[in-house]
Amino acid sequence: MQISNIRTTPLFYVFLFFSCGFLIMIFQSTVSEDNSIHEPTFGVLHVDINGSKIALYNYKPKEAPKRTVFLLHGMKFSKENWKELGTLDHLRDHGYRAIALDLPGYGKSSGIHKNFPKEKFLKEFLEFFENRAPPVIVSPSMSGEYAVPFVFAHGALLGGWVPIAPVSLSSHTKEEYAKLSLRTLALYGENDKQFRTQVEVSLGVVPGVQLTMVPGGSHPCYLDNPELWHSSLLSFLDSL
């Protein structure tokens, strides 16, 4: 059997070059998207807020997220705790975008000017990201210094608030909390003697609040019972 020779021309090589390039671009794009799902944005990201370099994790679901959840942290903690606890994976796997940050001066974030209001920092940080629906903030312990003044000044920007035995609750009166128009899931540990009463008194009067006590829980009660923490959080988010 005789096989005829195929005559190649310069135009053929040009076509082959661009075809290979196009296939490589498609392959790289697919790999990038897949990695962004399982190891979001290739690890730690940094954004600039008023001259401060803020480190964060950005976990995104495969499809368009239902809502973005911003996770703050306590004084002895960082964004790493939400990753280690599985909260970031849990939120992403249920269709939510999870952004955990190191607050200014903590973890891998640089400090911020002492005269820059904390609620203003939080507002600028949230507005840095495009949010399909009003976001939710999770604010345990020390991060209440950011979240409490923020919800009273800019609560209309949020879809919900999840305070976990936060500080700064005493900066507002019981009457002010009773007028707070924001869907709220408040958690505290049964054995958190320092903050339990303050949470019950202040946040207990927020209209429609879901007040959850973690049995046997300490101050960082979400660490004591991750299953209850995750189920409570998802149930709350799905109800918004």
Side-chain angles (χ1 to χ4, degrees):
M1 182 175 65
Q2 185 177 3
I3 301 176
S4 59
N5 292 327
I6 298 176
R7 185 180 180 184
T8 58
T9 66
L11 185 60
F12 170 81
Y13 288 110
V14 171
F15 173 80
L16 183 63
F17 175 82
F18 282 104
S19 296
C20 291
F22 180 72
L23 290 174
I24 291 173
M25 287 175 62
I26 293 177
F27 173 76
Q28 289 178 334
S29 175
T30 303
V31 171
S32 176
E33 288 178 5
D34 186 65
N35 284 342
S36 71
I37 292 169
H38 297 289
E39 204 43 58
T41 52
F42 306 99
V44 180
L45 283 179
H46 290 86
V47 298
D48 184 274
I49 304 294
N50 196 45
S52 294
K53 192 176 182 182
I54 304 301
L56 62 101
Y57 284 125
N58 180 16
Y59 277 47
K60 297 181 289 185
K62 293 181 180 180
E63 307 297 333
K66 302 175 186 176
R67 194 181 297 270
T68 299
V69 181
F70 292 91
L71 298 110
L72 315 185
H73 61 81
M75 181 176 290
K76 296 181 179 180
F77 302 94
S78 71
K79 67 183 183 309
E80 301 299 332
N81 296 97
W82 299 120
K83 181 179 180 181
E84 294 166 1
L85 192 63
T87 302
L88 301 181
D89 286 325
H90 214 67
L91 288 169
R92 179 202 61 202
D93 293 346
H94 286 82
Y96 294 96
R97 181 186 189 187
I99 296 178
L101 70 149
D102 285 335
L103 290 168
Y106 292 87
K108 296 182 179 180
S109 292
S110 62
I112 202 163
H113 195 281
K114 63 180 181 180
N115 293 328
F116 190 62
K118 292 180 178 178
E119 66 270 22
K120 186 174 181 181
F121 161 81
L122 189 54
K123 181 175 184 289
E124 291 192 10
F125 182 82
L126 266 61
E127 291 178 339
F128 185 90
F129 301 90
E130 292 184 5
N131 297 303
R132 183 181 183 186
V136 171
I137 58 173
V138 176
S139 58
S141 193
M142 177 275 296
S143 63
E145 294 180 354
Y146 292 81
V148 172
F150 179 85
V151 298
F152 278 97
H154 308 292
L157 300 177
L158 296 176
W161 180 32
V162 185
I164 308 174
V167 303
S168 299
L169 288 178
S170 59
S171 61
H172 292 269
T173 67
K174 185 177 179 179
E175 290 71 27
E176 288 177 302
Y177 285 104
K179 296 177 181 178
L180 188 62
S181 180
L182 179 62
R183 293 288 301 279
T184 302
L185 166 66
L187 294 95
Y188 62 96
E190 180 182 15
N191 298 327
D192 187 0
K193 296 180 180 179
Q194 183 178 357
F195 288 90
R196 175 177 174 172
T197 300
Q198 185 68 64
V199 170
E200 292 175 337
V201 170
S202 297
L203 298 178
V205 299
V206 174
V209 65
Q210 297 180 36
L211 200 59
T212 302
M213 181 187 72
V214 178
S218 59
H219 184 52
C221 58
Y222 51 93
L223 296 177
D224 299 315
N225 194 332
E227 183 177 352
L228 176 59
W229 156 239
H230 289 145
S231 63
S232 298
L233 177 61
L234 283 173
S235 177
F236 174 71
L237 292 173
D238 289 343
S239 73
L240 299 178

